[in-house]
Structure formats: C-alpha cells, structure tokens
Amino acid sequence: MEKVICMSSISENVKNILSKIPSDVHLEVAAKTRNTSEIEEAILSGARIIGENYVQEAMNVIPLVKNKVEWHFIGRIQENKINKMITLFDMLETVGSLEIAKAIDSRCAKIGKKMDVLIEINSGREIQKSGVMPEDAEDLIRQISQLQNLRVLGLMTMGPAIGSEELRPYFKLTKELFDSLKDKFPEITILSMGMSDSYEVAIDEGANLVRIGTKIFGPRDYSKGQG
Ligand SMILES: *Cc1c(COP(=O)(O)O)cnc(C)c1O
C-alpha cells in the first residue's frame, strides 16, 4: 500500500508542474539519488528530460530506463569521466571553460559524436562555484564554436544558494546575457534556470528549461546517491 501512495505522488507532482508551466517551458527532472522506478514513474507521467549529476549514478540508472528520454548532465564535469559522459548523455549543461570544452571535443571526435552543450554562467560571481563569469561568456562561446564536435545551444545557471525571490537579479542578468548572445549565435535557444524553490521566478525571468527534483520526489536521501 505504502508503495502505491508514494508512486502516485511522484506522478501527481509531475502532472501538476507540467500543467502549471507554460507550454514553451520544458521540465527537466533532476534525478540525483533517485532510483530507476522513481525515474520511470516521472517519465510515465509525462517527463521527457532527465538531469543527472553523477556519472557513476547515471551509469547505473540510464541503461535500465527503457523509455526514450533526453538525458542531461547537470553536475560538475570531471575530465576523467568525459568518455563515459559523452556516451551516456544527450546534453551537457555545465560547460564552463575552454579547457573542458576541448577535452569533450577531442573525445567526441574519436567516437564521431556531436555533443550538445550549454554554457554554465556563474551569475553570482562566486569563487567556489563553477561556470564562466558573465562578461567572459561571449569569448568562450566564440572559441568553442571553432570546435568541430560541440554545439552550444544555450546557457545554464544555478545562482547563489539563497531564497527564490532573492535569485531574481541573477536570473535577470543571465536572461539579458542570453538575449544578447542569441543575436550573435543563432543556435542559442535554451535558457536553463530555476529549481524546486525558484522555478516560478526563473520562468518569470525568461527560463525555458527548469530543473526540478525535490518538488517531484520529496527530500533527497544522500545515503542512496553515489558521488
Ligand atoms: C539538484 C539540482 C537541481 C534540483 O534541485 P531541487 O531543489 O531538488 O529541485 C537543479 N539543478 C541542479 C544543477 C541540481 O544539482
């Protein structure tokens, strides 16, 4: 009995979010620490994009999920994991340096894959956070567009770990950057920002991809995750 109740709530949460967000905004289910049956429940309820943070966890989960969905990587990219990442994922959302972009490019060349990526913007200018500084994003994208095996499709940002309304300026800044880059690079169409507590503010500020975990699955138990 308990299992049925638990599963239907994932389903209700996904359907509820899908009914609330505008039709031009895509839902990405942030699935770190969640198991295959939880992810499949979200997919059966209409989720089409799944985000994973850890390569090891993704290796355990992705081959078991039979439904065809898009898999996005939203964690920190480690160079020694790139070979696995490029076979597992359809999009890498957290490219923040030319060094990492080149490493992805050379590995993609070997397997003949063209990788879709987003550029992670360090919108809070936090030294401990990954992502490129907003003023350096255009140069970085220009350099990455020289690489044969990467396709920059948009921007992603986290923003500082603060309340949802306080995140608004960081989303606004990223949207302004997105608009200016969109004019210069026609392939740029995706703006990934907003999580469980902030997706409404993010959509308000122009996000068209929101990454939601807790509001779908409930609080995370990190002892179940890997990484
Ligand atoms: C975990 C995570 C999310 C989702 O966070 P919730 O607060 O659980 O919705 C979104 N984006 C990234 C990059 C994450 O790591």
Side-chain angles (χ1 to χ4, degrees), residues 28 30-32 34 53-54 74-75 93-94 120 156-158 194-197 210-216 218 220 222:
E28 171 173 352
K32 58 179 175 274
R34 316 300 178 174
N53 289 66
Y54 308 111
I74 56 175
E93 292 198 22
T94 47
E120 182 177 0
M156 179 272 204
T157 200
M158 297 272 288
M195 321 203 311
S196 286
D197 292 334
V210 291
R211 310 176 308 268
I212 302 180
T214 309
K215 271 257 160 75
I216 291 171
R220 270 182 292 279
Y222 276 100

Side-chain angles (χ1 to χ4, degrees), residues 134-187:
E135 66 274 19
D136 298 328
E138 183 173 342
D139 265 355
L140 178 61
I141 294 170
R142 219 170 275 292
Q143 287 168 305
I144 294 178
S145 21
Q146 307 299 311
L147 305 174
Q148 296 299 306
N149 306 291
L150 264 69
R151 191 160 43 206
V152 179
L153 296 186
L155 307 182
M156 179 272 204
T157 200
M158 297 272 288
I162 51 176
S164 57
E165 194 50 49
E166 291 97 302
L167 275 166
R168 192 180 288 277
Y170 304 96
F171 292 155
K172 205 183 270 294
L173 177 151
T174 309
K175 172 63 159 62
E176 279 166 13
L177 185 60
F178 173 74
D179 285 338
S180 80
L181 293 169
K182 209 158 59 121
D183 292 338
K184 295 166 184 149
F185 306 94
E187 283 193 322

Side-chain angles (χ1 to χ4, degrees), residues 55 73 76-78 81-90 92 94 113 115:
V55 174
F73 185 77
R76 196 180 274 260
I77 300 175
Q78 292 171 271
K81 302 267 173 72
I82 290 175
N83 277 332
K84 289 195 176 103
M85 292 176 60
I86 60 173
T87 62
L88 285 166
F89 290 97
D90 302 297
L92 311 180
T94 47
K113 177 159 182 167
M115 193 75 222

